[in-house]
Amino acid sequence: MTTLETLEETLRTVYDPELGVNVLDLGLIYDLKQDEAGVVHIQMTLTTQGCPLHDTIVGGVRNAVSRLPGVTDVNVDLVWSPAWTPDKMKPEAKQQLGF
């Protein structure tokens, strides 16, 4: 079983290429958990519904997490509600982007 801290650290290595900020600090990850079978369930969104980098970002999340020890599968559920807004960003991301 992978710890929540390890999952979060790993998600900090996946960046939104347009903004140059990781998906966790951007506030794109809404829910993150691992079940007893080792499957990691991630509920996330993107900054916009028509994001041209949809596959790149979601694929990056899936690939990074799938390499962790104890992870047997990664289920990424892309949602649009609630919609992402800049207030979902962590203070580090806001500072990096000049908010």
Side-chain angles (χ1 to χ4, degrees), residues 4-80:
L4 180 60
E5 182 179 279
T6 299
L7 290 168
E8 289 177 345
E9 286 174 17
T10 299
L11 289 171
R12 283 195 171 92
T13 69
V14 181
Y15 285 79
D16 179 311
E18 289 183 320
L19 297 176
V21 178
N22 71 72
V23 296
L24 190 70
D25 289 348
L26 269 177
L28 300 180
I29 306 299
Y30 288 170
D31 191 39
L32 177 62
K33 59 188 167 218
Q34 183 177 20
D35 67 22
E36 316 76 49
V39 179
V40 175
H41 300 274
I42 302 169
Q43 186 180 67
M44 67 176 292
T45 194
L46 300 173
T47 55
T48 60
Q49 275 192 333
C51 178
L53 298 169
H54 165 276
D55 291 336
T56 301
I57 296 170
V58 173
V61 165
R62 186 174 284 117
N63 289 336
V65 172
S66 69
R67 289 188 292 235
L68 291 171
V71 173
T72 59
D73 198 8
V74 180
N75 178 19
V76 177
D77 181 22
L78 193 61
V79 298
W80 303 111

